[in-house]
Amino acid sequence: MNKKFYKIALLASIMIGTVACGGEDKSDEGKSKTQKEVGPNDNDTTALDAEPEDLEEYADNDVQLPTALQVAQMMNKEGLDYTEGLAHDPDKADSYSTQLQKKLVFGVYSADLAYCVLNDKFTEAQSYMTVVRDLGSETGLAKIFDSEDLLKSFEENMSDREGLMDVLVDINWRTEEIFDTDPESKKQSMVHFAGAWIEGMYLGSQIVVENKNYELGTTLVEQMNILSSLIKGLKTIEQEGLDKLIVKLEDILNTYNSFESVKANAASENGTFTLPTLSADEVNKLAQKISDLRESIVNA
Amino acid sequence: MKRKSIIFALSLLVASGISVAQVLNKNKKSKETIYKTVPEDIAQNLPQVKSETKKEMEPFRYEGSKVTYFIYKTFEQRKEVELFFFSNNEYRVIFNSKLIDGDDPIKITIYDQPRNIAGRHVLYSETLSKDGSNKTITSTELLETLKSKLPEVDEFGNPIKVALQKVYIDYVIPSKEQQIEEGEKGERVVIRTKGAIVMAMGYNNV
């Protein structure tokens, strides 16, 4: 009897408890993740500022990197002349399979496109435009190249350097339109930029070494200022294989920072930047490192 | 018998306690917080604002723009944008603040170094208001300001060659009072006011 009573008492308490628990408010269902966030105490307005806000698009630090066109134009001013066979072969555009390879090579070809346009190599530029469009479409930038007017505009300006430069600016404008409302795409664009940066450095350094053009060498040195920001940006992206690229870029940066001319410049720094002048050996060493990295991308 | 009554009463007490806790919890949930971000049309208005800055860039070649988004908070915030220059060219930088909120202006300061470097130099300082005109500055002006703040020669008497290869643009976003409203189901709706500053850059094409 006693046992039976205890069982009933226990069962009654469990049932009442279960009914109470079953009354859980279901009004959360169907709401977004943000809406479900648990709010702070009513009287604690300071805590309100600690909620869902730390999104990438609201990062406290950001960087505005130069376009491939601007980089090529600055180098062109200092004598980045066209050398046959230096740019990457557009016929190899189909040889890349992973997203990382495609994004990097998209950047490489973007730099080559600007390089051709600035040197009035319009037929070559058209080939690069085609592969840039194809690789762009395969790496999340299809919206830019879907438009017929862009390609039409490119064809209409086929013998006009300034007109083609306007088309490249237009491509950048359309790219920004995507990034302005899609922080993840914007973050991913750092990989595209890495490819363009490496190719720009490759073209520039090869011509510096070949022609002993040290004015162009100064522009290359300025490009090195971008590298630490580029590495920092790449480290925020999760993509298979990217870590290997970052290691190679860090190696280039460390090599550059270990140059005597760079260290001497840093030692005399007076709260601001001055430009180091690299020795011939340093230029050669930097050019070789960049060439090795570029090879690992285009022959991946 | 007395023992049975005590146990029964205790069981009921425990069960009732759980029920009361759940009811209180339900009431608390009805006070849950929902975050609503306003205005919703910033993205739609961006192309127009950017077009205006692009037009004002002439005769410089438009390079691109950086949109800095933020959510107003109950305290001031600082956002920093790093911008690169090549020393063999001149740049124009334009700030547009049509997408900020309210009457409180945003302060822009351009420095030669990032915020973690002590003694960095202020190269430009300005305030941006919602209804104000675009603010424009060139890299030449920034460089001249920097030169004026540095010694002309080093400790050995050699001229210091100054190059402005990058600058750091700091935006100080003013604080804003927290707005809380009551939703249709009695929930608390916290209004998050969003804003954006458009910074466009162009360079001398010649």
Side-chain angles (χ1 to χ4, degrees), chain A:
Chain A
M1 176 65 189
N2 278 353
K3 277 188 179 176
K4 193 176 179 184
F5 175 79
Y6 291 143
K7 280 181 183 173
I8 291 170
L10 186 64
L11 190 63
S13 65
I14 289 171
M15 279 178 71
I16 295 169
T18 305
V19 168
C21 290
E24 187 180 350
D25 189 354
K26 302 283 184 189
S27 59
D28 278 353
E29 286 175 8
K31 285 185 179 170
S32 71
K33 188 183 172 189
T34 303
Q35 286 172 323
K36 283 181 182 176
E37 299 254 1
V38 177
N41 297 331
D42 285 3
N43 298 324
D44 185 4
T45 55
T46 307
L48 287 172
D49 291 308
E51 54 61 54
E53 184 263 305
D54 293 320
L55 306 173
E56 205 49 51
E57 64 177 311
Y58 304 123
D60 285 343
N61 296 291
D62 211 342
V63 59
Q64 171 76 344
L65 295 167
T67 59
L69 176 63
Q70 192 206 154
V71 171
Q73 201 172 357
M74 295 309 117
M75 287 189 175
N76 191 258
K77 268 189 173 183
E78 305 297 349
L80 183 68
D81 296 330
Y82 188 80
T83 301
E84 194 72 41
L86 196 57
H88 185 39
D89 184 354
D91 290 340
K92 291 189 176 171
D94 291 336
S95 9
Y96 306 99
S97 53
T98 69
Q99 275 292 299
L100 179 61
Q101 288 169 348
K102 286 179 180 181
K103 284 176 184 173
L104 285 170
V105 175
F106 170 90
V108 167
Y109 283 135
S110 299
D112 291 335
L113 171 60
Y115 175 54
C116 289
V117 167
L118 290 167
N119 284 287
D120 297 340
K121 298 291 175 186
F122 302 124
T123 309
E124 290 84 347
Q126 192 168 27
S127 301
Y128 285 112
M129 181 67 190
T130 304
V131 294
V132 163
R133 180 198 61 196
D134 293 346
L135 286 166
S137 298
E138 292 171 31
T139 55
L141 301 175
K143 195 178 161 189
I144 299 165
F145 300 101
D146 280 350
S147 161
E148 287 295 322
D149 63 319
L150 188 68
L151 297 174
K152 193 179 168 191
S153 182
F154 193 89
E155 284 164 12
E156 283 173 356
N157 287 285
M158 267 302 286
S159 55
D160 173 14
R161 183 199 302 183
E162 291 297 330
L164 285 180
M165 285 170 69
D166 283 342
V167 175
L168 299 187
V169 171
D170 190 22
I171 291 174
N172 187 51
W173 175 272
R174 294 174 193 220
T175 310
E176 278 184 357
E177 280 186 334
I178 296 177
F179 298 161
D180 285 343
T181 51
D182 185 353
E184 184 54 33
S185 291
K186 182 181 159 191
K187 204 163 81 170
Q188 289 287 333
S189 73
M190 200 61 86
V191 181
H192 291 129
F193 179 82
W197 184 87
I198 292 161
E199 183 70 352
M201 287 296 284
Y202 171 74
L203 296 172
S205 60
Q206 291 302 306
I207 288 170
V208 169
V209 170
E210 188 71 25
N211 300 343
K212 299 193 180 352
N213 178 345
Y214 295 108
E215 283 182 342
L216 179 55
T218 304
T219 308
L220 284 182
V221 167
E222 288 190 285
Q223 285 281 320
M224 289 304 295
N225 278 322
I226 296 171
L227 185 52
S228 56
S229 299
L230 173 60
I231 292 169
K232 195 175 156 191
L234 289 173
K235 283 182 173 175
T236 65
I237 303 169
E238 285 180 23
Q239 183 144 30
E240 198 179 342
L242 195 57
D243 50 340
K244 290 176 186 165
L245 176 74
I246 292 170
V247 168
K248 289 173 184 170
L249 288 169
E250 284 177 331
D251 178 46
I252 291 175
L253 183 61
N254 293 336
T255 301
Y256 173 78
N257 286 334
S258 71
F259 290 160
E260 285 305 318
S261 59
V262 176
K263 285 196 284 190
N265 183 68
S268 65
E269 198 172 312
N270 188 13
T272 186
F273 293 102
T274 56
L275 289 173
T277 303
L278 303 189
S279 68
D281 281 350
E282 289 170 342
V283 169
N284 287 336
K285 198 171 179 181
L286 183 63
Q288 188 58 52
K289 288 267 180 193
I290 290 164
S291 177
D292 291 345
L293 173 57
R294 191 257 195 184
E295 280 303 300
S296 71
I297 292 169
V298 299
N299 292 324

Side-chain angles (χ1 to χ4, degrees), chain B residues 27-45:
Chain B
N27 288 338
K28 192 179 176 185
K29 276 181 184 257
S30 71
K31 276 276 186 184
E32 77 170 322
T33 300
I34 290 177
Y35 297 97
K36 183 182 172 189
T37 304
V38 295
E40 295 171 352
D41 58 356
I42 279 190
Q44 289 94 310
N45 291 331

Side-chain angles (χ1 to χ4, degrees), chain B residues 78-187:
Chain B
R78 185 185 294 265
K79 303 268 179 185
E80 191 164 87
V81 177
E82 191 179 352
L83 182 63
F84 292 89
F85 295 142
F86 289 100
S87 59
N88 63 351
N89 210 342
E90 184 176 24
Y91 294 84
R92 176 179 285 178
V93 184
I94 299 175
F95 300 95
N96 183 300
S97 52
K98 283 191 175 169
L99 299 177
I100 69 172
D101 182 76
D103 301 324
D104 294 331
I106 284 175
K107 189 178 176 189
I108 329 167
T109 310
I110 302 181
Y111 296 92
D112 61 333
Q113 301 277 8
R115 70 169 85 171
N116 58 330
I117 302 290
R120 61 180 180 159
H121 300 98
V122 174
L123 307 180
Y124 175 78
S125 188
E126 190 53 89
T127 53
L128 292 169
S129 58
K130 187 176 177 65
D131 302 322
S133 58
N134 292 341
K135 304 291 181 190
T136 302
I137 185 80
T138 66
S139 57
T140 305
E141 292 170 298
L142 295 172
L143 180 61
E144 289 306 314
T145 304
L146 179 60
K147 282 179 178 173
S148 72
K149 296 187 174 190
L150 294 173
E152 291 180 3
V153 292
D154 63 17
E155 63 267 39
F156 306 109
N158 301 316
I160 294 178
K161 190 181 171 188
V162 181
L164 197 58
Q165 297 167 301
K166 54 183 168 180
V167 293
Y168 297 83
I169 300 163
D170 282 18
Y171 301 114
V172 176
I173 320 295
S175 61
K176 192 174 179 64
E177 198 174 319
Q178 188 75 61
Q179 266 184 279
I180 300 172
E181 296 174 357
E182 190 174 320
E184 288 175 2
K185 294 176 183 174
E187 72 276 26

